[in-house]
Amino acid sequence: MKQEEFKDFSENLSVNYAEDKIRAGLWDKEDALDQARFDMLHLLPKGVMTKDHLLWNVCNEDDEKVGTLWVLEEKDTYFIYDIMIFEAFQNQGYGSELLRVLEEKARDEGISEIELHVFGHNKRALHVYENMGFEAIDINMRKRL
């Protein structure tokens, strides 16, 4: 990803992240977008040049941008902060293929684990991650009364 693309990436991710936090009942709607933007500035203060953070555009075989990927490289672990396949390209195998490519890159770089967080309401992503061999390592649960 190029630095000039970062502003749009950051804003789109902030909006989506705020919506997920609201849907999960973790943030109030009034403050969610501001909090998400704050988190983005804190995590990526230098945009695509932030140390140990890897931001990629995901392209198909026709070199058409189909999504984005944000990964933190820490010791021998990749932590996926965000994987986004744009709506028009979902359910076409791009997410699974992206995870396969990331896994291959990780092995080539000596990375031994890939971790991520997924919201419980994101059933589509959960399905993809489970099919790709990811296992739950910590589960928070809630019952609304």
Side-chain angles (χ1 to χ4, degrees), residues 98-130:
L98 175 57
L99 290 170
R100 276 191 281 282
V101 169
L102 183 63
E103 215 173 285
E104 186 178 305
K105 178 177 176 37
R107 282 191 187 98
D108 290 347
E109 298 288 327
I111 300 294
S112 61
E113 293 182 330
I114 299 175
E115 297 181 356
L116 55 86
H117 166 269
V118 61
F119 286 99
H121 62 261
N122 193 342
K123 303 298 184 203
R124 181 186 306 177
L126 279 167
H127 177 75
V128 170
Y129 299 140
E130 288 171 350

Side-chain angles (χ1 to χ4, degrees), residues 7-8 16 23 32 40 51 57-58 84 88 90 104 107 110 115 126 130 135:
K7 183 178 178 184
D8 287 339
N16 291 334
R23 185 169 179 191
M40 286 292 295
K51 186 177 187 296
N57 289 321
V58 179
M84 169 62 70
Q90 291 179 2
E104 186 178 305
R107 282 191 187 98
E115 297 181 356
L126 279 167
E130 288 171 350
E135 300 172 336

Side-chain angles (χ1 to χ4, degrees), residues 3-4 7 16 28 44 49-50 72 87 89 108 125 142:
Q3 188 68 26
E4 57 267 18
K7 183 178 178 184
N16 291 334
D28 293 328
L44 295 167
M49 302 305 290
T50 303
L72 170 66
E87 191 171 342
F89 299 99
D108 290 347
R142 168 180 48 214

Side-chain angles (χ1 to χ4, degrees), residues 6-49:
F6 180 76
K7 183 178 178 184
D8 287 339
F9 165 80
S10 178
E11 183 61 19
N12 290 336
L13 184 57
S14 293
V15 169
N16 291 334
Y17 186 57
E19 289 171 357
D20 280 335
K21 287 287 205 174
I22 293 165
R23 185 169 179 191
L26 301 171
W27 288 355
D28 293 328
K29 187 176 183 177
E30 297 77 31
D31 303 321
L33 187 54
D34 287 338
Q35 181 62 47
R37 287 175 177 148
F38 175 83
D39 287 356
M40 286 292 295
L41 285 173
H42 174 74
L43 290 168
L44 295 167
K46 295 182 179 179
V48 300
M49 302 305 290

Side-chain angles (χ1 to χ4, degrees), residues 65-90:
K65 186 174 169 183
V66 300
T68 56
L69 176 64
W70 170 17
V71 174
L72 170 66
E73 183 177 347
E74 204 169 44
K75 297 182 184 173
D76 62 348
T77 302
Y78 276 169
F79 183 86
I80 299 173
Y81 266 97
D82 187 68
I83 180 171
M84 169 62 70
I85 302 300
F86 302 143
E87 191 171 342
F89 299 99
Q90 291 179 2

